[in-house]
């Protein structure tokens, strides 16, 4: 968990992950499954071979993360706006690793209540309340709703906060004007289908994540605390990355 992987090691780790999936598909789905995963392996190998992968935290920061003493992570308070599969699963994963989650806000209150109960956190009544209580905010709505939610968020006091989403298609720049508000942004995308609210979190720690945005270093600390492998990509490569990651 505390080891810092080099660029080559990360690429080999990722390729090995996909090769394991090919073997699994061979057993479960026959040649049809192999063909689909082979196409994905080819696209992802091309993508990650074509660009550098930025290194994880090193030195004192990496050691602090490795033994659970990273002060940035300890002080962090993460809130989720949207309580669907991804938001609920990530919240559970974070709380299981000792990362403070303030709770959930959703326009469908029942979803926020269920996610809060599952993660033993709080259900917020308003957007203003969860923004005030959190220093890091994940907008885990549908892709189409991210920009609309951000429009409401940026009218609130978000200076010095980190604003994230988990879309594989959208860049962090969907949070337009965040710099002027004094906020940092990041796309935090797990490369797996999160198909269930209450059981998928157990598999997330084994997923490979990609980060993009000026808040990527902050989120590296969170993922490292959870033992998650990750790479940082550039905004210009987000469309290529999304195409490559789609089966």
């Amino acid at each position: 968990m505390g080891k810092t992987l080099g660029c080559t090691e990360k690429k080999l780790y990722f390729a090995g992950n996909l090769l394991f999936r090919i073997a699994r598909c061979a057993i479960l789905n026959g040649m049809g499954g192999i063909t689909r995963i082979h196409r994905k392996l080819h696209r992802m190998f091309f993508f990650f071979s074509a660009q550098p992968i930025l290194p994880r935290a090193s030195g004192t920061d990496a050691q602090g993360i490795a033994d659970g003493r990273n002060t940035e992570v300890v002080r962090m308070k993460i809130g989720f706006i949207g309580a669907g599969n991804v938001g609920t699963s990530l919240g559970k994963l974070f709380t299981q690793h000792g990362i403070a989650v303030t709770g959930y806000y959703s326009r469908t209150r029942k979803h926020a209540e269920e996610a809060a109960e599952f993660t033993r956190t709080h259900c917020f009544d308003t957007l203003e309340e969860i923004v005030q209580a959190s220093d890091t905010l994940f907008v885990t709505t549908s892709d189409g709703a991210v920009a609309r939610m951000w429009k409401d968020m940026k009218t609130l006091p978000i200076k010095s906060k980190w604003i994230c989403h988990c879309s594989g298609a959208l860049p962090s720049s969907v949070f337009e004007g965040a710099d002027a508000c004094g906020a940092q942004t990041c796309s935090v995308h797990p490369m797996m289908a999160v198909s269930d609210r209450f059981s998928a979190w157990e598999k997330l720690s084994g997923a490979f994540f990609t980060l993009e945005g000026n808040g990527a270093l902050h989120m590296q600390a969170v993922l490292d605390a959870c033992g998650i492998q990750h790479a940082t990509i550039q905004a210009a490569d987000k469309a290529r990355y999304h195409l490559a990651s789609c089966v």
Side-chain angles (χ1 to χ4, degrees), residues 9-61:
E9 288 175 297
K10 285 181 179 178
K11 291 173 185 176
L12 289 173
Y13 172 88
F14 183 78
N17 235 342
L18 286 179
L19 286 171
F20 171 78
R21 291 173 63 185
I22 290 175
R24 185 172 181 271
C25 278
I27 296 170
L28 299 179
N29 302 313
M31 289 304 297
I34 293 176
T35 301
R36 290 198 309 111
I37 298 300
H38 178 266
R39 287 199 300 266
K40 182 168 185 174
L41 176 61
H42 182 268
R43 289 194 298 267
M44 293 309 297
F45 180 80
F46 174 81
F47 176 79
F48 279 108
S49 295
Q51 66 164 61
I53 298 178
L54 301 185
R56 293 165 66 171
S58 59
T60 304
D61 288 341

Side-chain angles (χ1 to χ4, degrees), residues 129-175:
E129 288 178 354
I130 193 168
V131 168
Q132 183 177 8
S134 311
D135 55 38
T136 303
L137 292 151
F138 274 77
V139 183
T140 49
T141 61
S142 64
D143 285 9
V146 171
R148 293 197 300 272
M149 184 59 70
W150 169 241
K151 186 176 179 181
D152 293 336
M153 291 173 66
K154 66 181 180 180
T155 65
L156 302 173
I158 57 170
K159 184 177 181 180
S160 301
K161 295 184 186 289
W162 287 267
I163 315 297
C164 308
H165 68 68
C166 296
S167 169
L170 298 176
S172 61
S173 59
V174 69
F175 299 123

